[in-house]
Amino acid sequence: MPKSDPASEEQGRAALRAALFVHRRAPLSRQLARRGLGPYRGYGELLEAIERLADRGAQLSLIGRSIRGEPLLAVHIGAARPPGDGGDRPGVGRPALLSHGGRRFANGAPPRGAHVGGDDAPGGADEPPANDAAAAELAGRAGPLDPRGAAGAGPHDPRRAAGAGPRGRTTVILSGIHPLEWIGIEANLALLERLATEDLGGRSIFAVPIVNPDGLLRVEMNLRAGRHRYVRGNARGVDLNRNFDAGWYERGLVQRLIGLAVSPGSRPASEPEVEAIAHALSSRRIDRALSLHSAGGAVLYPPAHSLWPVADAAEHRAFARSVARAAGRRPYRAMSYVRFAWGIRRAGLEIDWLHDRHGALSLLVECSRGRLGLRPSRLVEPFAWYNPLKLDDATPPLVEAVLPFVKGARA
């Protein structure tokens, strides 16, 4: 493992140890297995799994705190992370802001294809960055170079100026955004275990296995008490996957007629969990992003908040189909998110934000197919709707399916 900032590393370790001290309990996995819900681990057990990754050489950083003070822990594998990666201060940092056309954008980068510093009028000329340092900073935050060369990269695209190959690139892996979707967390941790043994060739992995610890703890409390409750948001009831700054609060005709089914928050990145991720990623060069959910048996790609396809839809589609074919004995479906959602726009999603703001090829995997079986206890338990009974049948093929994408292979 490369050297990391000792203070940042120790801060992450200290936060993990404190959380483990508070949340050590009798293993939940045994109780759930006896009740026919599968051998899923509780919050304390999942923290122990993260600790084992750190003992094997993975780096930890504390990127922020949830509403109720739980640590938001990032796991780093591969190339050293840049300074100020979110582990250099105990609280949640505000995303860096970059001015563009009278607007300010979080996370240090304008939307993909934006004319930075240029005239917003049609046909207006692009102005170069103010100085070489600004150009270098912008290039360092740009998305991936198109593997086909000039295609998809205009003359003023900062990705051309970057001229970088696979080294120094980051893959982001998120899970646990929705608190009932525990298979995504288990798949993330299994993937990280595998990546710890792989040669990443200069690539950096940035993973947040538990994005929504408050929601997960609420689900665990309900499971231990035998209560059948549906939980989707964080401690304030906000759906974190509607809180990212990508088409936030945009609604189509159907949503306008029936209203919003979930709360997107008071503003983009209003929730500390989302703000922490935005700040931690602001200085990274991200070209791949993977978000693990459940349980639709699908590999999805942007857009979610627009009916118009993204410019690199063909590349996304190729990766999605490759992952879908290998994800299980019966292939998953592969399609854009807006098509998967029957044309209803979903605003504020992480895959749109990672693609639009960072230029990353972004996939969202709906792990497993949500089969309930014949047990009556599973029919009335929301946890069973999202998490398959046989975890070992679902996770290993999924890890193998996403591994080439995460490591930066071409489609």
Side-chain angles (χ1 to χ4, degrees), residues 41 46 49 53 56 77 173 175 182-198 209 292 391-392 394-400 402-403:
R41 295 175 286 186
L46 294 171
L53 280 168
R56 293 182 56 190
I77 298 175
I173 310 173
S175 59
W182 289 24
I183 186 176
I185 301 173
E186 295 285 1
N188 194 342
L189 292 172
L191 178 58
L192 292 174
E193 290 279 356
R194 177 64 182 276
L195 288 167
T197 67
E198 295 282 318
L292 297 166
L391 179 60
D392 290 342
T395 301
L398 184 58
V399 168
E400 295 300 321
V402 301
L403 191 63

Side-chain angles (χ1 to χ4, degrees), residues 161 196 259 284 352:
R284 285 184 168 269
D352 279 353

Side-chain angles (χ1 to χ4, degrees), residues 263-284:
S263 171
S266 59
R267 56 176 172 80
S270 63
E271 305 311 294
E273 299 89 349
V274 173
E275 188 182 27
I277 291 172
H279 173 72
L281 297 181
S282 63
S283 60
R284 285 184 168 269

Side-chain angles (χ1 to χ4, degrees), residues 152-169:
H156 298 284
D157 196 314
R159 291 174 289 165
R160 279 184 171 270
R167 291 190 174 274
R169 297 305 178 110

